Amino acid sequence: MNADIEKERLRPIRRHGCSDIQLYQAVSWIYTVFDMIISFMIAFLMDEGVKEFMLIVLTILTMGIIYTCLRATLIDPTDSIVLKEQNFKLKGLEFKTDLKTYCLVCQAHVMEKSKHCFSCNKCVEVFDHHCIWLNNCIGIKNYNYFFILVILLVIFKCLRIIQDILLLLNYAFQILALISIILDPPILFVLSYLLGMHLFFKYKGISTYDWIKMKKDKEKLKVQQQQQLPKMNESAGYGQLLSTSKRFDLKSSLSNKTDNKVPQQNFFPKPLPLQVSKNQNLSGPQVTQLQSIFTNKPTSPNNNEQLRKEYEEVDGRQIFNKVIAEDSEPQQNSDSRNEENDHEIDNEIEIEIQNKNEQSEKEQN
């Protein structure tokens, strides 16, 4: 950054459009002068009455175009605050101002709407745009001359097209008329578009720079909005209902529950399944075995609390396994696998209860 600023400071400053002639500037001047000469030649070939009127109008337009073009080109649009501060520094005086904007390249304070033009390497007061055809920046000091120049060029081109049509009707200088008709309408369209844009800018109270900046800001905003759009998954189900943070919190709470084994009060205890002995006939009537009656081991609050803890632990593991299975497996197979997990967990519960009943029977015997 500092290296770029130092390079810009070493570059020469273009005070006005005639400091160094550029290619586009030379082409525009040569074409305009050539077009004016042709327009006067065609005016002298017209009939009496029309010729005088045409010559008067062309003279006024030509003088106006030359004057406004020179004024817009030769005026230095540099910020007046920059010029004052530089003069103060050359004299060794201190420059005091309330302005907060500062240009690092010009090394001076500038007005709020002033912008640094890197083509001319200077800060332009109320910067509008840099005109390559005039080889100068357009600011508040030369904008009015530039605007009048565009209006005069549009009127002049309309008059030139009328001359070309008259040449074709009179069958004189047809080759010159054809060349002019090929060149003049596109140039008139560009000038009319330029005039319409600046009329629109005057109506809105903005500059060309402001309009270009707003256009770029809108494009950047559209790009940012497209990048921030949420990407929805194609699959539907549990994964879309819960966000990543909620699912993580659910897993954490379930894991803490199974690890810490925090007991919760169960108002609806599950009934004990039927214990079938190896020698008992399965086809006979089945009787629900109550542990407090048919076992010597009495039922106590501690035993009930221990069984309740075991059931709650199994239930917590069952819910936890469901969440993990839905995260790790495809959504389309989640229902079938959850049913299998439920069946396996029920089998494990039955096996544990059977083992405890067998142990109690052995102690009774």
Side-chain angles (χ1 to χ4, degrees):
M1 184 66 182
N2 295 328
D4 296 336
I5 294 174
E6 290 296 332
K7 288 181 181 179
E8 292 296 329
R9 290 175 181 174
L10 295 175
R11 285 179 53 205
I13 299 174
R14 186 187 299 159
R15 292 299 179 186
H16 51 78
C18 293
S19 298
D20 52 339
I21 305 298
Q22 299 294 322
L23 177 62
Y24 291 103
Q25 181 184 12
V27 170
S28 64
W29 284 10
I30 292 171
Y31 172 77
T32 304
V33 171
F34 181 74
D35 205 16
M36 288 177 179
I37 293 172
I38 292 176
S39 64
F40 276 100
M41 290 174 59
I42 295 172
F44 279 110
L45 296 175
M46 291 184 177
D47 299 333
E48 296 294 333
V50 178
K51 180 175 67 175
E52 287 78 6
F53 174 76
M54 190 69 69
L55 288 174
I56 292 172
V57 173
L58 285 174
T59 303
I60 295 173
L61 288 175
T62 302
M63 296 301 295
I65 290 171
I66 293 173
Y67 176 75
T68 54
C69 179
L70 290 175
R71 291 295 295 169
T73 304
L74 295 176
I75 288 178
D76 184 10
T78 307
D79 194 338
S80 57
I81 302 297
V82 175
L83 297 176
K84 288 181 181 179
E85 188 169 353
Q86 289 177 352
N87 290 331
F88 271 70
K89 289 181 179 179
L90 290 175
K91 294 177 181 180
L93 301 175
E94 183 181 0
F95 181 78
K96 296 181 179 180
T97 180
D98 296 333
L99 296 173
K100 296 181 180 180
T101 52
Y102 187 85
C103 179
L104 296 176
V105 180
C106 296
Q107 294 179 325
H109 292 84
V110 295
M111 295 184 181
E112 185 177 357
K113 292 186 178 181
S114 298
K115 299 293 181 294
H116 188 88
C117 176
F118 290 95
S119 298
C120 298
N121 196 23
K122 61 186 178 184
C123 284
V124 180
E125 186 174 351
V126 191
F127 179 78
D128 188 84
H129 70 284
H130 178 83
C131 182
I132 59 175
W133 307 107
L134 298 177
N135 192 29
N136 196 11
C137 290
I138 306 300
I140 193 173
K141 294 181 179 179
N142 59 351
Y143 179 81
N144 292 330
Y145 294 107
F146 170 80
F147 185 73
I148 296 172
L149 174 62
V150 175
I151 295 174
L152 294 177
L153 287 174
V154 170
I155 297 172
F156 177 74
K157 275 300 169 185
C158 291
L159 186 62
R160 284 287 296 111
I161 291 176
I162 293 173
Q163 287 183 340
D164 297 336
I165 294 172
L166 292 176
L167 280 179
L168 287 176
L169 294 176
N170 294 330
Y171 300 101
F173 300 100
Q174 290 184 356
I175 297 175
L176 181 62
L178 289 173
I179 294 173
S180 299
I181 286 176
I182 292 172
L183 294 177
D184 290 338
I187 296 175
L188 176 61
F189 174 78
V190 173
L191 291 172
S192 300
Y193 177 78
L194 181 63
L195 178 61
M197 291 297 294
H198 281 277
L199 288 173
F200 173 75
F201 296 153
K202 278 183 170 292
Y203 173 75
K204 290 292 185 179
I206 60 176
S207 63
T208 307
Y209 176 82
D210 296 333
W211 180 71
I212 295 173
K213 186 178 179 181
M214 287 188 295
K215 198 172 181 180
K216 290 182 178 180
D217 292 340
K218 288 181 181 179
E219 293 177 356
K220 290 181 180 179
L221 183 61
K222 288 181 180 179
V223 173
Q224 291 177 358
Q225 289 177 353
Q226 292 176 357
Q227 292 177 354
Q228 292 177 358
L229 287 176
K231 297 181 180 179
M232 300 299 293
N233 296 326
E234 295 180 358
S235 61
Y238 185 82
Q240 288 186 355
L241 296 177
L242 291 179
S243 62
T244 305
S245 59
K246 291 183 178 179
R247 294 168 74 181
F248 179 76
D249 294 339
L250 179 59
K251 293 176 187 178
S252 300
S253 61
L254 290 174
S255 61
N256 292 331
K257 181 179 178 180
T258 55
D259 293 339
N260 298 330
K261 299 180 181 180
V262 179
Q264 296 181 359
Q265 186 175 2
N266 188 6
F267 296 96
F268 302 99
K270 296 183 179 179
L272 295 174
L274 179 62
Q275 174 64 26
V276 181
S277 61
K278 297 180 180 179
N279 300 326
Q280 186 178 357
N281 189 6
L282 297 175
S283 61
Q286 298 180 358
V287 180
T288 303
Q289 183 179 0
L290 298 177
Q291 188 174 5
S292 60
I293 298 174
F294 295 96
T295 58
N296 293 330
K297 188 177 181 180
T299 302
S300 62
N302 294 329
N303 294 334
N304 290 333
E305 185 178 358
Q306 183 177 3
L307 290 174
R308 185 169 59 251
K309 289 181 180 180
E310 292 175 356
Y311 290 144
E312 290 172 355
E313 181 179 356
V314 173
D315 292 339
R317 289 180 181 176
Q318 180 180 356
I319 297 172
F320 183 74
N321 291 331
K322 285 183 181 181
V323 176
I324 298 299
E326 288 179 353
D327 287 343
S328 59
E329 296 179 359
Q331 189 66 26
Q332 58 185 358
N333 298 328
S334 60
D335 296 336
S336 60
R337 295 191 178 183
N338 288 336
E339 292 178 358
E340 293 177 0
N341 291 333
D342 294 342
H343 184 67
E344 291 178 358
I345 292 170
D346 292 338
N347 292 334
E348 291 178 359
I349 294 172
E350 292 178 0
I351 292 171
E352 289 180 0
I353 294 172
Q354 288 177 4
N355 293 332
K356 290 182 179 180
N357 290 333
E358 287 178 0
Q359 292 177 1
S360 62
E361 288 179 357
K362 288 179 180 181
E363 292 176 358
Q364 182 179 2
N365 295 330

